[in-house]
Amino acid sequence: MSRTSPWQSLRTRAGLRNLAATAAAAVASAGLGAAATAPDTRWYRGLEKPPWDPPSIAFPLVWTPLYADIAVTTAAALTVLEQEGRDEEAAHLRWVLATNLVLNTGWSVLFWRGRRPWAAAAWCGLLAVHSAALTRRVGQVDPSLGAALAPYPAWCGFATALNTSIARRND
């Protein structure tokens, strides 16, 4: 008996339930992070940034599809795990996802509200490592899901390098 595509699993009742839950979590994380973000402040405008700092518009254009990617791939992985009776792994994946979204939101609060570039750079590095672990875990359920989520840790790695460069330039 062949396994159903993880993407097709999203069309089931369980898949839609998981997608609603992961989408709600991603939207909450994105909304809280956006509320904490303040690029128009005097503090941020006064920071020296590297020449490879993307324009401000790049961030919502990148983060919006990344949050959607997180929601869809983890929902599909959760649904496959549940369909295969791997409930303990599904519960662990939910915990990993929740932790990752807290790390994601926490960076925005630490950088923008806390105005602590070095602490935020370390936090962002932790987020990048954790995002890679989330991607690996999702990819273990199905390689196509891991491949689809791969841009997320790549972007978090870029964000870590950018944050570290900003911290170094404004030490």
Side-chain angles (χ1 to χ4, degrees), residues 1 8 13 38 42 45 51-52 69 72 89 94 101-102 107 109-110 112 150 152-153 156 163-164 166-167:
M1 181 162 135
Q8 291 175 330
R13 181 180 300 251
R42 179 179 294 146
R45 285 192 315 265
W52 45 275
D69 189 14
V72 170
E89 290 176 70
R94 281 186 184 86
L101 292 174
V102 167
W107 175 86
V109 172
L110 191 57
W112 296 104
Y152 178 48
C156 290
N163 193 155
T164 302
I166 290 170

Side-chain angles (χ1 to χ4, degrees), residues 52 121-129 155-165:
W52 45 275
W123 189 279
C124 197
L126 180 60
L127 172 61
V129 169
W155 180 260
C156 290
F158 169 78
T160 301
L162 178 60
N163 193 155
T164 302
S165 180

Side-chain angles (χ1 to χ4, degrees), residues 124-140:
C124 197
L126 180 60
L127 172 61
V129 169
H130 197 275
S131 297
L134 173 65
T135 300
R136 179 185 53 78
R137 185 166 296 280
V138 166
Q140 287 172 336

Side-chain angles (χ1 to χ4, degrees), residues 3-23:
R3 183 167 128 185
T4 305
S5 158
W7 306 104
Q8 291 175 330
S9 73
L10 291 172
R11 295 180 180 170
T12 65
R13 181 180 300 251
L16 293 173
R17 182 194 73 240
N18 283 325
L19 184 57
T22 59

